[in-house]
Amino acid sequence: QGGDADLAEIRQVGFMLNGGPARGSAFFDDLMTTPRAQEGLEGQPTAITPSRDGLNDKVTATAAPIRPGQVVTVEVISDGRVVRTLLPPTAAQHPRIEVSWDGRSDDGRRLPEGQYVIRATFRSPGEGREAEMAKEQTVMLSNRPAWPAIKYTSAPFFPIGVWFEGWPAAADYPSDPKGAEKHYDRCFADLAAHGLNSVAVPNCPENLWETLLRSAERHGIKVVLEIRPLVELVSSSRPPDEQQIDDAVTATVKRLSHYDSLLRYQIRDEPPPEMIPNWVAVQRVLAARDPKHPAFSCFCHIESVRLVRQSTTLPEVVFDIYPFRADTPPGDTGYFFPALRGFCEAAGELPKWAVLQSFAMPGIWRYPTPEELRCTVYSSLAAGATGIFFFIYQTMSNRPDKMDGLVDTEGRPRPLYATVEQLARELKRLAPVLLGLRPVGSTHWPGDKGLPVVFTHFTDRKGRAYLIIANSSPTAAVKVPLQAILAKNRISLTDLLTGEEFVLQAGTSNLPLPPGGGRVMLMQ
């Protein structure tokens, strides 16, 4: 994934063979992810499968520290014989040298499976061979076949969901399976009764996974379940071994994939850019073992979205935006629109799921007003979102930060829950249409054409045209001149929720939008 800036930085600290960072490799050679050898030689990963599928295709070895003028040689050894020279004798000019090996010999042949040694030899001029020092790193080479290209078989689905805290102590519910099952049944029945169809569940203990999935199944709730063993692989400071990933994925799939309530496997919430190589490795293996249930992560770094898109195939991009800080004035959407625009541009034409703020935290975040929440939902739809999650369902007074959610500790609704229910019922009616739409042209953002709205034109599979538009102001109603957002002189628009019809004729018609309101409209 590294670009010219990455390569320039590497050249300042050492040498890089094989043309610099390998584009398309799951493990890119970047100073953020390459381990720093404190002394001698260190290589990562320690097991490679150079099938050129982007996973563990090469090992990057770092030799350090090196005194200026030392002559350094780096070779690959098998049974005492040099099979590849990675760096011929070279007078070092920097304290670190990095080289990479792709499992091939000097003449490009693919070497047989087995144990190899990367040896770095350090020699100071004038000190004789007795002053020569060698450091070694063992690498296991496996010629396992390449992973297949990703092809998901999951059915289209529009999640209308909530984030649901899975750790019993945090959400104050029983941790034993029987007690937790009663809690899940009450909560999932409540969510279904409010028009919601899915939950994203972090932190659930492994002994409750099946209990939660069975309860969700009874109530028609789909589950994005965080899988702790996979989270740990993604979060590792070192590239995980490919076999280690496969073992963890295979065990997870065997245990959980048969549940109808399972929607996605969450493999790391909000992975920062430096974790994306590990994320891609886990996601790739998971796609091969269970194409029906893709990997899932909510991204809060736009750069992470860009890196993931460059590296792999995704069924959708999921991102969260929580703009209503404690000091954000009522009616002010904070950084919501710049963040939404950035995420959507990074996601490109991939489907988008948005996780939106519906919580408060004393002194840090405030609850959005109903109009502000409606504004963020319909603006996300206008930007192409085909899934909405609300963060978060439970109030967690046991946490040090005292997070306030949509229901209190006894499950009683907080004031914003009624707005979420209304939005959920609207989304349920719109979902069949929204899932079949494709954007036509780019999204227009607030301020474009001097209008305080966000809107995009779409078509469905039958070629019918649609307009999705949202008022960017949660406090002021607007009347949008239709001639400013439509190309034709006469056109009819029908609001899919209200049935209202608006006709543009001779440039005189306006489209009214209430504070924070939006419309999904069929154009004829």
Side-chain angles (χ1 to χ4, degrees):
Q1 310 316 312
D4 294 339
D6 300 312
L7 185 55
E9 188 174 9
I10 289 169
R11 284 173 173 161
Q12 291 176 21
V13 299
F15 302 94
M16 195 67 188
L17 299 189
N18 302 329
R23 295 184 182 276
S25 170
F27 298 108
F28 56 87
D29 296 318
D30 183 290
L31 291 180
M32 295 179 65
T33 56
T34 301
R36 273 61 163 177
Q38 297 302 315
E39 182 177 3
L41 183 74
E42 184 174 4
Q44 293 295 334
T46 57
I48 61 172
T49 57
S51 57
R52 298 187 176 180
D53 61 0
L55 296 186
N56 287 24
D57 282 337
K58 63 189 175 83
V59 56
T60 297
T62 305
I66 305 168
R67 296 195 301 274
Q70 266 190 323
V71 176
V72 182
T73 305
V74 185
E75 300 165 314
V76 180
I77 312 294
S78 176
D79 294 328
R81 181 172 59 91
V82 176
V83 295
R84 179 76 178 268
T85 300
L86 300 178
L87 183 69
T90 303
Q93 301 177 19
H94 301 278
R96 295 173 65 242
I97 287 179
E98 294 175 4
V99 295
S100 61
W101 179 49
D102 60 0
R104 295 178 183 270
S105 63
D106 280 325
D107 59 5
R109 288 182 298 107
R110 189 167 177 174
L111 292 167
E113 292 186 327
Q115 180 174 292
Y116 292 81
V117 173
I118 298 178
R119 177 185 295 165
T121 304
F122 306 85
R123 182 169 57 83
S124 298
E127 295 185 8
R129 288 205 170 270
E130 65 275 6
E132 188 172 277
M133 178 181 66
K135 296 292 183 180
E136 297 181 345
Q137 171 73 57
T138 300
V139 177
M140 293 301 300
L141 170 64
S142 172
N143 286 326
R144 66 182 298 164
W147 291 100
I150 294 175
K151 186 177 181 180
Y152 294 115
T153 59
S154 52
F157 182 73
F158 193 113
I160 309 166
V162 296
W163 233 251
F164 183 93
E165 178 54 52
W167 191 251
D172 195 24
Y173 63 85
S175 59
D176 65 288
K178 286 188 177 180
E181 183 175 20
K182 291 181 180 178
H183 177 77
Y184 297 147
D185 280 337
R186 177 178 66 78
C187 292
F188 295 161
D190 177 60
L191 290 169
H194 283 77
L196 295 145
N197 64 13
S198 51
V199 291
V201 185
N203 308 316
C204 183
E206 289 191 38
N207 70 310
L208 295 180
W209 285 354
E210 287 88 350
T211 302
L212 186 143
L213 288 169
R214 286 194 297 267
S215 175
E217 215 161 87
R218 286 193 291 271
H219 299 283
I221 298 293
K222 295 291 186 181
V223 178
V224 178
L225 184 62
E226 184 181 69
I227 308 300
R228 195 67 203 170
L230 304 185
V231 172
E232 291 171 355
L233 291 172
V234 173
S235 304
S236 173
S237 60
R238 298 171 180 268
D241 177 86
E242 196 168 335
Q243 188 60 52
Q244 182 184 13
I245 297 173
D246 196 13
D247 290 345
V249 165
T250 300
T252 300
V253 169
K254 182 178 180 181
R255 180 176 173 182
L256 302 178
S257 63
H258 61 281
Y259 284 97
D260 289 339
S261 56
L262 182 66
L263 179 64
R264 300 284 189 270
Y265 302 99
Q266 181 168 299
I267 62 172
R268 174 58 158 84
D269 192 31
E270 300 183 345
E274 59 267 26
M275 289 184 186
I276 296 306
N278 290 0
W279 192 96
V280 169
V282 173
Q283 178 252 6
R284 181 73 178 273
V285 176
L286 193 55
R289 297 300 183 213
D290 187 4
K292 186 178 179 181
H293 302 105
F296 173 102
S297 283
C298 186
F299 295 98
C300 64
H301 297 271
I302 290 175
E303 183 59 23
S304 293
V305 175
R306 293 195 183 103
L307 289 173
V308 167
R309 281 196 65 213
Q310 292 169 10
S311 307
T312 189
T313 301
L314 297 172
E316 67 274 326
V317 172
V318 191
F319 48 82
D320 55 359
I321 308 176
Y322 307 142
F324 301 107
R325 309 285 298 186
D327 57 356
T328 304
D332 187 338
T333 55
Y335 63 88
F336 177 78
F337 283 102
L340 179 63
R341 182 171 188 169
F343 278 117
C344 289
E345 290 175 351
E349 293 189 2
L350 282 173
K352 307 164 189 69
W353 292 357
V355 183
L356 303 175
Q357 182 178 348
S358 60
F359 73 97
M361 193 179 292
I364 302 177
W365 278 284
R366 65 167 174 83
Y367 276 120
T369 66
E371 293 77 16
E372 289 167 344
L373 185 59
R374 180 170 287 275
C375 173
T376 61
V377 168
Y378 273 91
S379 295
S380 299
L381 298 182
T386 55
I388 300 290
F389 285 90
F390 299 96
F391 188 95
I392 184 170
Y393 177 65
Q394 302 104 319
T395 288
M396 290 177 282
S397 55
N398 287 346
R399 287 170 52 116
D401 46 22
K402 309 294 183 186
M403 185 178 290
D404 295 318
L406 293 172
V407 299
D408 67 15
T409 55
E410 302 299 322
R412 294 178 298 240
R414 305 296 296 273
L416 204 57
Y417 201 15
T419 303
V420 167
E421 178 180 13
Q422 184 179 5
L423 286 165
R425 299 198 183 284
E426 293 173 15
L427 291 170
K428 184 176 181 180
R429 292 173 57 192
L430 294 170
V433 172
L434 296 175
L435 282 173
L437 298 184
R438 297 190 63 181
V440 177
S442 58
T443 296
H444 297 264
W445 297 95
D448 294 353
K449 298 187 176 184
L451 300 173
V453 293
V454 53
F455 68 92
T456 307
H457 292 277
F458 298 85
T459 58
D460 66 10
R461 296 181 182 91
K462 295 182 179 180
R464 291 174 296 197
Y466 292 80
L467 170 71
I468 305 180
I469 186 169
N471 182 359
S472 65
S473 171
T475 58
V478 296
K479 291 185 177 180
V480 184
L482 288 180
Q483 67 269 22
I485 58 176
L486 301 174
K488 297 182 180 180
N489 289 327
R490 179 179 174 84
I491 197 165
S492 170
L493 298 97
T494 303
D495 188 308
L496 297 188
L497 285 178
T498 66
E500 295 174 273
E501 187 173 335
F502 302 87
V503 179
L504 170 65
Q505 188 170 3
T508 60
S509 302
N510 294 316
L511 180 66
L513 294 171
R519 297 181 186 271
V520 179
M521 312 192 78
L522 173 64
M523 300 167 57
Q524 296 174 316

